[in-house]
């Protein structure tokens, strides 16, 4: 059967001050009234019922995840005792699903992406399940046709097409390329042979667990021990004892880059990883001055700014341009737009100065 694993960990530090330790990015809404996590669950609902959905998040966020997704069985809301990146998260999810469905096909997707239209995403996921049935030992990832030479994304070098379902092609993966500089990114896009790496996967649980066992045997053995203890009185103790010493590594580095049979499904949908505050410009309209506003704002001679505030908190600006201004509760961020990627470093500085109460 088709199962889903939603990865809802991570702190979303680039979205400080709205994203906080108790309320990270995936639980926030950036368009409409549904959070990123809820939007992820909504997209897969027509294909995979809630009883076959697993959510892996931080232990401190299980209650909020359950509140936002009440149809997902509580036993399938898994709270990691500490973050260990996507290899451990995916390995554990696959091991837990395989306990009750050894032949399961698993769709793995992050909780913090915006994907439109949903119908096209569902068409692609249905095609991916057919590819997995045809190539059960292969690992499939989704590639996004690039619309500009992004330097902040990883790229997938596509080889020959091997199959086509629902008018969607699957191709051999020749190589994964990490975030390139501007010149190389331009060459990738112009060549037409590269896609952005979306971090969305489909495979047999047996296939990904087999590759983990071959390439990362220590990690594989640990998640299997956790799965064996699941539902027993020893579950919590085994989970923490086995998970804490695990290598902190992404699934791309741990498995995908060296697996012998990797394919890419070319996505027909629009994708945005909502990686920083400037993503609001792509998701929302601008006013006459080119400003993107969420909240209460009055400006004079204000242009090309991103302004975010609580509904009852007014931000007023005069004679400013190209700023990022974000107020949330007891904290306000003001930054040059060009420094938006530095917000993560600012969060680190707050920790160093003992200002965790603002995080």
């Amino acid at each position: 059967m088709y199962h889903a694993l939603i990865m809802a960990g991570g702190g979303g530090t680039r979205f400080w001050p709205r994203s906080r330790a108790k309320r990270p990015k995936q639980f926030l809404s950036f368009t409409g009234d549904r959070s990123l996590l809820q939007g992820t669950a909504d997209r897969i609902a027509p294909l995979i019922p809630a009883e076959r959905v697993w959510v892996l998040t931080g232990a401190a966020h299980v209650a909020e995840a359950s509140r936002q997704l009440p149809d997902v069985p509580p036993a399938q809301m898994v709270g990691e005792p500490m973050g260990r990146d996507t290899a451990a998260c995916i390995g554990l999810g696959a091991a837990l699903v395989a306990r009750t469905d050894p032949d399961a096909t698993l769709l793995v997707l992050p909780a913090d992406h915006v994907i439109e239209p949903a119908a096209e995403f569902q068409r692609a996921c249905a095609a991916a399940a057919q590819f997995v049935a045809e190539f059960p030992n292969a690992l499939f990832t989704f590639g996004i046709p690039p619309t500009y030479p992004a330097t902040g994304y990883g790229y997938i070098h596509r080889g020959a097409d091997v199959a086509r379902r629902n008018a969607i092609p699957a191709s051999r993966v020749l190589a994964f390329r990490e975030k390139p500089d501007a010149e190389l990114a331009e060459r990738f896009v112009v060549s037409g042979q590269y896609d952005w790496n979306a971090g969305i996967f489909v495979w047999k649980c047996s296939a990904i667990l087999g590759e983990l066992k071959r390439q990362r045997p220590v990690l594989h053995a640990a998640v299997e021990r956790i799965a064996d203890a699941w539902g027993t009185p020893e579950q919590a103790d085994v989970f923490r004892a086995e998970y804490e010493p695990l290598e902190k590594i992404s699934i791309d580095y741990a498995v995908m880059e060296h697996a012998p049979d990797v394919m890419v499904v070319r996505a027909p949908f629009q994708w945005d990883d909502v990686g920083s505050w400037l993503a609001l410009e792509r998701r929302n309209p601008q006013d006459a001055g080119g400003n993107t506003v969420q909240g209460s704002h009055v400006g004079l001679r204000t242009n090309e700014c991103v302004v975010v505030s609580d509904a009852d908190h007014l931000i007023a600006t005069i004679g400013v341009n190209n700023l990022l201004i974000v107020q949330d509760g007891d904290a306000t961020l003001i930054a040059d737009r060009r420094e938006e990627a530095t917000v993560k470093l600012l969060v680190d500085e707050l920790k160093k100065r003992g200002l965790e109460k603002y995080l």
Side-chain angles (χ1 to χ4, degrees):
M1 290 188 289
Y2 211 175
H3 300 251
L5 170 64
I6 300 176
M7 299 184 291
T13 52
R14 288 188 178 182
F15 281 91
W16 185 85
R18 179 155 290 179
S19 179
R20 310 275 186 120
K22 293 182 179 179
R23 188 191 57 195
K25 164 187 168 187
Q26 58 271 25
F27 299 110
L28 303 178
S29 173
F30 293 93
T31 55
D33 59 357
R34 300 287 279 174
S35 72
L36 293 174
L37 172 63
Q38 290 171 319
T40 302
D42 292 346
R43 280 192 298 275
I44 62 174
L47 288 177
I48 302 172
E51 58 264 27
R52 295 205 301 271
V53 173
W54 290 72
V55 177
L56 266 72
T57 187
H61 303 132
V62 169
E64 178 61 15
S66 294
R67 187 190 70 80
Q68 293 199 9
L69 301 180
D71 293 336
V72 174
Q76 291 166 208
M77 287 285 182
V78 180
E80 296 175 291
M82 66 287 295
R84 285 297 177 262
D85 217 317
T86 55
C89 174
I90 290 170
L92 176 59
L96 291 172
V97 171
R99 288 171 64 242
T100 57
D101 187 0
D103 194 44
T105 295
L106 186 64
L107 170 65
V108 179
L109 56 166
D112 56 358
H113 293 174
V114 173
I115 292 173
E116 297 173 333
E120 287 296 275
F121 176 75
Q122 292 152 14
R123 181 167 69 94
C125 290
Q130 295 179 49
F131 293 140
V132 169
E134 190 171 348
F135 302 96
N137 296 319
L139 305 179
F140 288 85
T141 185
F142 279 80
I144 311 296
T147 54
Y148 65 98
T151 57
Y153 297 149
Y155 286 74
I156 300 168
H157 189 184
R158 296 191 324 278
D161 289 356
V162 295
R164 182 177 293 265
R165 297 290 180 269
N166 296 352
I168 296 171
S171 310
R172 295 284 178 190
V173 171
L174 299 181
F176 290 90
R177 302 295 298 268
E178 282 307 303
K179 299 172 183 177
D181 59 28
E183 181 181 352
L184 187 56
E186 179 71 31
R187 286 163 49 193
F188 285 172
V189 174
V190 170
S191 75
Q193 298 176 1
Y194 290 82
D195 292 332
W196 289 334
N197 186 354
I200 303 172
F201 310 99
V202 182
W203 42 47
K204 289 285 188 185
C205 285
S206 56
I208 188 63
L209 289 171
E211 274 301 308
L212 275 172
K213 185 176 183 179
R214 186 178 72 85
Q215 297 191 49
R216 290 291 189 277
V218 172
L219 190 154
H220 174 267
V223 298
E224 290 288 0
R225 286 192 291 268
I226 296 169
D228 288 342
W230 209 254
T232 74
E234 291 76 36
Q235 174 181 315
D237 290 340
V238 173
F239 196 175
R240 174 170 287 278
E242 295 288 353
Y243 216 66
E244 186 170 13
L246 285 182
E247 180 182 16
K248 193 172 185 180
I249 188 171
S250 73
I251 196 70
D252 295 288
Y253 285 129
V255 171
M256 300 298 285
E257 292 189 354
H258 304 289
D261 196 1
V262 181
M263 302 188 194
V264 57
V265 178
R266 200 148 208 240
F269 48 80
Q270 297 177 347
W271 168 86
D272 193 326
D273 77 338
V274 197
S276 72
W277 279 115
L278 295 188
L280 291 186
E281 293 182 321
R282 301 191 292 270
R283 314 307 315 169
N284 296 279
Q286 283 75 50
D287 65 16
N291 304 296
T292 303
V293 178
Q294 280 194 344
S296 299
H297 171 246
V298 175
L300 300 176
R301 300 187 302 281
T302 297
N303 300 285
E304 307 297 331
C305 292
V306 175
V307 182
V308 180
S309 73
D310 292 338
D312 60 352
H313 186 105
L314 173 68
I315 292 179
T317 56
I318 302 174
V320 297
N321 301 282
N322 300 308
L323 290 181
L324 174 60
I325 305 170
V326 182
Q327 175 275 328
D328 189 272
D330 58 1
T332 301
L333 168 71
I334 302 173
D336 188 305
R337 286 167 49 100
R338 293 169 296 185
E339 297 285 348
E340 53 89 21
T342 311
V343 174
K344 190 172 183 179
L345 299 180
L346 179 64
V347 170
D348 292 338
E349 184 65 22
L350 292 174
K351 292 177 183 177
K352 290 178 184 177
R353 296 193 184 194
L355 297 173
E356 285 87 354
K357 70 176 183 177
Y358 296 108
L359 301 177

